[in-house]
Amino acid sequence: METSKYNPQAIEPKWQKVWAEQQLDQTPKPDDRPKFYALSMFPYPSGSLHMGHVRNYTITDAIARFKRMNGYRVLHPMGWDAFGLPAENAAIDRNTHPAKWTFQNIEQMRSQLQEIGLSYDWDRELATCAPDYYHWTQWLFLEFLDAGLAYQKEATVNWDPIDQTVLANEQVDSDGRSWRSGAKVEKRKLRQWFFKITDYADRLLQDLDQLPHWPERVKTMQANWIGKSIGAELTFPLTTSEAKITVFTTRPDTVYGVSYVVLAPEHPLVQEITTPDQKSEVEAFVASVASISEIDRTAEDKPKKGVFTGGYAINPFTNQKIPIWIADYVLFEYGTGAVMGVPAHDVRDFAFANQYGLTIQQVITPKAETELKELQSAYTEAGVMIHSDRFDGLDSITAKTEIIKYAEAEGWGKARIQYRLRDWLISRQRYWGCPIPIIHCPKCGIVPVPDQDLPVELPNNVELTGRGGSPLAQLASWVNVKCPKCGTDAKRETDTMDTFIDSSWYYLRFTDAKNPKEAFTKEKVNDWMPVDQYVGGVEHAILHLLYSRFFTKVLSDRGLLNFDEPFQRLLTQGMVQGLTYSNPKKEGKAKWISSDLVNPADPCDPETGEPLEVSYATMSKSKGNGVSPQQVISKYGADVMRMFVLFKAPPEKDLEWDEADVEGQWRFLNRIWRLITEFIDVKPTISDVPNKNLKRAIHTAIKEISEDLTGDYQLNTAISELMKLNNALQDTSDKASTTFVEGLETLLILLAPFAPHIASELWSTLGYQDYILTHPWLEHDPSALVVDEITLVIQINGKVRGSIQVPSGSDKAALEEYARNSEVAQKYLEGKEIKKAIAVPGKLVNFVI
Ligand SMILES: [Zn+2]
């Protein structure tokens, strides 16, 4: 008969079609059931699905399916983070349009996703590059503008002088050259749009406490990125003019040890301070720093470079003259653009002072000491104040606040909190992004595009060359417009938005994805949000998640949302690693040998025959160690792939792809297949005789798996429990009781969230008319978990004196022990000598006295 062989290639597409036709995965309208919003981070439509996607989406899908079966109404959508540079580059390389390339990729990836049996509500699919989506991205931009949170200012950008274009940091290689033209990248000041995320720095930090179900690691990364430091702003007057240098320091307790100050080369005071004899050296230094990236300037492992300006300031605390330097590691756009140099108590300053022969004055010691040894390295811990005038002898922690009070009283400074977080530069000089809905009018200035004129659509007839600034700026017919306020000839903004803006609100749009009149209705967004379970890669721990939290808080403050954290629970799934072959004798990219070219039994270089090193590394094209989901599906089916990625490692840990373990899941599903098809073939007469051991195995599985799928989602251990239940059903000699039938049903219901296709097929094979995926989840019966008991009769000298309940299957020694400890025995045996005890297993214990 047809059901005798497990054939996923026939079964899986059949069920995918049934689910789509029956609309099983569509989000139910609001009803009394509790809501559950399960969301995977949406992908960039690169065109091909990789195993990392499969893992991410399968985890979320298993959770979504489990919640549906548990009586939740579930929102489980999917969409495309579809703007961005790769499409623009592909368009240039292949002479096509970015929209065409992107939508082709979306088609391709959607069909790949559908083959995995993911329960998405495709009616809510969205693409951020579609006008019906970016209409609302633009509308939200104007909300930010209205709130005073979007503004323009001059900012330093990476400028490619050959291509005449702005480059992202990632497009500048380690030598400071453009990835495309190879030109030495310059720094240029351009007017750019910013979002004022710094206004929310403190709330973004404080509210991390409201996220107990986020990984600690992610919260720490966000806190570090926000980088709150509590300290003081101190001023150092110049010796030659009224001007003052302001520094921010978290170590006011070290101020008596300040032996120089350092300005950023871009600091406006540099010119005034520099003396004629230092002028040429300073100018050469400023020019050389201008071509170095910020990352390189502040990299910890790079030596710091500086130049003396010839000028001096006064340390108001010591009244000493201290030299003013400029150095590459001080950034003008961070803090005040100036720092105080305390070499005795700062690692970087210690190195800098030694390099340039600057004074090192120790002002804190580990404990009160009279004789100081020369410092071999900076002392950065707390301790006791010395050489600090009125603060000598104080502990340095107390001294911090006391020195700030003193500075405030003397007018030398004040307490200050500083954040590392800077405003979010959102403008890009690119075509394939959301146009910023602004018109620049010579009379009115910045004018928002009126609501009725949204969306500002991207023009199609644009020429993409990758050169000459924003492609939109070249298109006069698009750029030139009348001012909506006064009718004067005006120009459109030609920058587009950072794609992180598109992804900062997509989860809100899913709640009302097709609404043509609003970004979302309050009713729907407040019904579904916040996301109950968000799943995605830890590489998004900072930017995407921080920006999304920022958006949510702003929109909440605007009265558009009634919650201010978007993601209640976050799971950052581990990487998928593949078996990786490298030739240690080769350099660079050539050292990676694609696994397709290697015989795993004898791994050697196909070109040279040299032996290869074998390791596990995150799957990537460059290492040639990827496994394509399509290959796995065509060999084993989607359910086996799903089972493997869920079983092989806990969701948050890295997973090593292992063919043998994939085979293991194939065998497991085949065993389930045979168990049920054989039962149907045999058509046994079902008996009512209860099977307590089997019943216990069934209800243990229900209990354990339900617990594993609650809270932290231990999907791997849930599958181990499924295997135990399968073993119990395979091993029992009783394959014809109502308990056995209950066991088969239970196995399929518990399997359904993980392997939905085979579970659906076997459920229908067993003759059920409903869909297993909408079948209610099971509740365990606590009484079934109780170990079986028997009544043990207790005799004294052959006379029945009473009975007790004991576990069945107890051996003679155990029975005697139970009997001796029973109340009955103690009553009759007290003070008597037991000559002999006779235990009859399953029946009685007789004490002879
Ligand atoms: Zn105007």
Side-chain angles (χ1 to χ4, degrees):
M1 93 191 254
E2 197 203 356
T3 52
S4 63
K5 193 171 173 301
Y6 173 44
N7 178 3
Q9 285 71 26
I11 292 164
E12 293 184 344
K14 178 182 102 185
W15 281 101
Q16 286 157 16
K17 197 157 162 265
V18 171
W19 301 334
E21 279 166 3
Q22 299 300 317
Q23 305 190 337
L24 279 197
D25 300 327
Q26 274 197 28
T27 315
K29 296 202 171 55
D31 57 31
D32 288 347
R33 289 178 293 165
K35 68 96 181 177
F36 192 88
Y37 187 171
L39 185 65
S40 296
M41 289 182 187
F42 69 162
Y44 179 79
S46 60
S48 62
L49 206 63
H50 57 68
M51 213 44 96
H53 292 128
V54 170
R55 188 172 189 206
N56 183 346
Y57 308 153
T58 305
I59 290 169
T60 319
D61 190 60
I63 295 169
R65 291 185 181 282
F66 172 72
K67 290 291 177 182
R68 275 195 201 98
M69 295 175 81
N70 273 274
Y72 288 79
R73 60 190 166 90
V74 173
L75 172 55
H76 186 212
M78 180 42 83
W80 312 97
D81 189 10
F83 271 135
L85 203 51
E88 207 160 323
N89 291 334
I92 296 165
D93 294 346
R94 295 159 211 216
N95 197 22
T96 170
H97 193 277
K100 196 177 165 203
W101 185 82
T102 305
F103 282 105
Q104 276 171 355
N105 286 350
I106 288 176
E107 288 295 316
Q108 210 169 311
M109 284 179 79
R110 189 193 305 110
S111 73
Q112 291 169 355
L113 286 177
Q114 282 165 340
E115 285 178 23
I116 306 172
L118 301 165
S119 58
Y120 293 133
D121 180 349
W122 286 106
D123 279 3
R124 290 174 188 257
E125 181 183 1
L126 58 81
T128 59
C129 67
D132 64 353
Y133 182 86
Y134 70 68
H135 179 161
W136 304 109
T137 309
Q138 292 174 349
W139 181 82
L140 288 168
F141 174 91
L142 296 177
E143 283 286 301
F144 277 69
L145 186 73
D146 190 51
L149 294 168
Y151 68 95
Q152 272 193 301
K153 75 166 183 194
E154 292 263 311
T156 312
V157 294
N158 301 311
W159 181 257
D160 178 333
I162 293 183
D163 282 355
Q164 297 278 302
T165 190
V166 174
L167 301 173
N169 279 338
E170 306 81 68
Q171 296 169 327
V172 182
D173 69 17
S174 53
D175 296 331
R177 291 182 181 277
S178 164
W179 69 303
R180 181 169 282 278
S181 71
K184 197 82 183 165
V185 172
E186 295 169 6
K187 295 283 172 181
R188 274 225 183 163
K189 289 225 161 191
L190 283 183
R191 268 188 99 63
Q192 304 275 300
W193 282 95
F194 287 84
F195 273 178
K196 219 170 175 183
I197 191 171
T198 51
D199 272 13
Y200 282 74
D202 207 42
R203 267 171 77 190
L204 289 166
L205 183 66
Q206 293 307 319
D207 292 354
L208 288 172
D209 292 345
Q210 293 178 26
L211 303 171
H213 303 299
W214 278 39
E216 279 308 317
R217 164 163 88 128
V218 172
K219 288 194 280 184
T220 304
M221 286 162 85
Q222 293 221 346
N224 291 342
W225 187 261
I226 297 166
K228 181 179 184 175
S229 41
I230 299 166
E233 213 169 72
L234 301 174
T235 50
F236 294 77
L238 299 186
T239 54
T240 48
S241 78
E242 291 297 299
K244 288 176 176 172
I245 292 171
T246 303
V247 303
F248 173 80
T249 177
T250 56
R251 295 294 308 272
D253 51 330
T254 64
V255 74
Y256 287 85
V258 174
S259 53
Y260 58 94
V261 287
V262 188
L263 303 182
E266 303 86 351
H267 197 289
L269 277 177
V270 171
Q271 243 186 330
E272 182 190 327
I273 291 165
T274 306
T275 54
D277 51 330
Q278 290 297 103
K279 195 165 185 269
S280 61
E281 205 182 332
V282 166
E283 281 175 357
F285 185 76
V286 171
S288 75
V289 170
S291 65
I292 307 172
S293 80
E294 203 173 282
I295 295 165
D296 284 341
R297 280 173 61 173
T298 52
E300 275 181 27
D301 54 341
K302 299 236 167 142
K304 310 298 176 241
K305 289 188 194 127
V307 170
F308 178 43
T309 61
Y312 288 88
I314 301 287
N315 181 346
F317 292 83
T318 60
N319 223 8
Q320 274 171 346
K321 232 174 102 177
I322 50 173
I324 305 169
W325 284 64
I326 57 171
D328 55 359
Y329 65 85
V330 183
L331 303 177
F332 182 59
E333 279 159 8
Y334 177 54
T336 62
V339 299
M340 59 188 214
V342 194
H345 303 291
D346 181 275
V347 174
R348 187 183 59 191
D349 294 351
F350 187 82
F352 193 78
N354 274 315
Q355 192 178 341
Y356 294 108
L358 296 160
T359 311
I360 299 174
Q361 172 67 60
Q362 190 175 357
V363 293
I364 296 171
T365 55
K367 52 183 189 291
E369 285 174 56
T370 44
E371 272 182 51
L372 282 180
K373 286 181 212 125
E374 198 187 329
L375 282 175
Q376 297 305 308
S377 60
Y379 177 70
T380 58
E381 308 288 307
V384 179
M385 304 289 289
I386 51 161
H387 295 150
S388 296
D389 192 22
R390 64 184 61 204
F391 301 102
D392 281 355
L394 211 59
D395 75 273
S396 62
I397 305 216
T398 314
K400 255 188 202 180
T401 34
E402 291 302 313
I403 286 177
I404 294 172
K405 276 190 211 158
Y406 180 53
E408 281 175 344
E410 296 290 331
W412 299 335
K414 54 180 192 266
R416 220 192 103 174
I417 290 169
Q418 181 169 288
Y419 296 93
R420 184 178 169 274
L421 185 69
R422 283 185 263 169
D423 278 343
W424 175 11
L425 196 168
I426 62 148
S427 40
R428 297 287 181 270
Q429 292 68 43
R430 296 284 168 206
Y431 169 74
W432 195 234
C434 175
I436 294 177
I438 290 292
I439 290 165
H440 297 277
C441 169
K443 287 185 184 162
C444 315
I446 286 172
V447 181
V449 172
D451 277 358
Q452 69 269 18
D453 295 342
L454 296 180
V456 177
E457 289 203 35
L458 281 171
N460 273 321
N461 53 335
V462 70
E463 203 195 335
L464 299 172
T465 58
R467 292 179 190 85
S470 167
L472 291 174
Q474 323 286 321
L475 208 66
S477 61
W478 187 83
V479 173
N480 295 318
V481 285
K482 300 283 182 206
C483 169
K485 264 193 191 164
C486 72
T488 306
D489 285 342
K491 287 189 187 300
R492 282 193 193 283
E493 171 62 62
T494 59
D495 283 357
T496 52
M497 297 183 213
D498 178 7
T499 56
F500 273 115
I501 293 186
D502 309 326
S503 57
S504 289
W505 77 281
Y506 79 108
Y507 51 91
L508 302 173
R509 181 67 176 171
F510 275 138
T511 67
D512 198 5
K514 300 295 166 193
N515 191 335
K517 297 197 182 105
E518 289 174 273
F520 41 79
T521 64
K522 277 190 197 176
E523 195 194 353
K524 288 184 180 170
V525 81
N526 290 331
D527 174 41
W528 284 112
M529 288 292 295
V531 171
D532 294 274
Q533 181 65 57
Y534 200 25
V535 183
V538 78
E539 67 274 19
H540 297 295
I542 298 174
L543 298 182
H544 164 59
L545 291 169
L546 193 68
Y547 293 150
S548 298
R549 295 180 60 221
F550 169 53
F551 256 67
T552 301
K553 289 181 192 301
V554 171
L555 302 183
S556 175
D557 289 352
R558 301 281 295 170
L560 295 166
L561 309 172
N562 68 3
F563 51 91
D564 76 348
E565 281 293 339
F567 312 122
Q568 215 152 51
R569 200 178 262 280
L570 173 69
L571 190 161
T572 49
Q573 89 277 355
M575 298 292 197
V576 182
Q577 301 183 327
L579 209 53
T580 309
Y581 299 100
S582 64
N583 185 339
K585 298 211 168 133
K586 286 183 173 172
E587 294 286 325
K589 281 182 186 170
K591 75 185 285 188
W592 307 109
I593 311 293
S594 171
S595 53
D596 299 342
L597 307 173
V598 177
N599 171 10
D602 176 27
C604 54
D605 191 315
E607 279 175 20
T608 64
E610 287 158 332
L612 297 177
E613 280 176 4
V614 184
S615 62
Y616 273 100
T618 300
M619 288 185 179
S620 71
K621 266 190 193 153
S622 60
K623 294 199 170 72
N625 61 349
V627 175
S628 107
Q630 237 92 43
Q631 279 172 6
V632 181
I633 291 173
S634 59
K635 191 166 174 194
Y636 300 104
D639 279 347
V640 168
M641 180 168 72
R642 293 172 59 113
M643 293 289 283
F644 168 79
V645 297
L646 295 174
F647 177 68
K648 176 71 181 175
E652 67 281 2
K653 293 277 191 314
D654 287 347
L655 172 160
E656 292 177 354
W657 190 268
D658 181 340
E659 192 75 15
D661 286 348
V662 179
E663 286 278 352
Q665 292 300 326
W666 167 253
R667 283 194 304 273
F668 176 41
L669 293 188
N670 271 286
R671 289 185 76 200
I672 295 179
W673 183 267
R674 280 195 305 275
L675 179 72
I676 290 178
T677 51
E678 277 166 20
F679 170 77
I680 291 165
D681 288 346
V682 171
K683 290 189 194 73
T685 312
I686 303 299
S687 81
D688 286 342
V689 181
N691 181 334
K692 284 205 169 183
N693 284 334
L694 194 54
K695 188 107 177 164
R696 194 179 320 118
I698 293 166
H699 287 262
T700 301
I702 298 171
K703 176 171 181 282
E704 294 297 326
I705 294 172
S706 303
E707 284 174 6
D708 286 340
L709 295 184
T710 304
D712 286 339
Y713 302 113
Q714 298 305 309
L715 299 156
N716 56 322
T717 53
I719 292 178
S720 315
E721 294 295 331
L722 271 177
M723 291 171 169
K724 285 188 203 163
L725 175 58
N726 176 52
N727 288 341
L729 291 164
Q730 303 273 355
D731 295 349
T732 185
S733 54
D734 155 32
K735 289 195 166 61
S737 66
T738 49
T739 315
F740 184 72
V741 176
E742 183 192 350
L744 296 182
E745 290 167 357
T746 302
L747 182 66
L748 293 181
I749 291 167
L750 301 182
L751 178 68
F754 308 99
H757 307 90
I758 190 173
S760 296
E761 177 71 13
L762 290 173
W763 188 252
S764 117
T765 308
L766 278 175
Y768 297 99
Q769 297 302 308
D770 65 338
Y771 296 107
I772 194 168
L773 300 175
T774 53
H775 193 282
W777 192 253
L778 302 168
E779 263 188 62
H780 78 273
D781 173 2
S783 71
L785 301 184
V786 175
V787 178
D788 249 0
E789 289 183 339
I790 56 150
T791 304
L792 182 74
V793 172
I794 297 173
Q795 296 179 345
I796 312 288
N797 290 340
K799 192 165 186 184
V800 175
R801 293 296 188 186
S803 67
I804 54 170
Q805 293 300 115
V806 299
S808 66
S810 307
D811 62 15
K812 284 185 181 179
L815 291 176
E816 198 183 313
E817 191 68 20
Y818 287 127
R820 268 181 206 278
N821 293 333
S822 69
E823 272 180 43
V824 186
Q826 277 168 14
K827 182 178 164 195
Y828 289 95
L829 296 175
E830 206 186 339
K832 310 260 167 63
E833 190 202 342
I834 301 169
K835 288 180 183 150
K836 207 173 163 190
I838 303 149
V840 182
K843 290 208 170 98
L844 61 83
V845 173
N846 180 25
F847 292 107
V848 181
I849 54 174

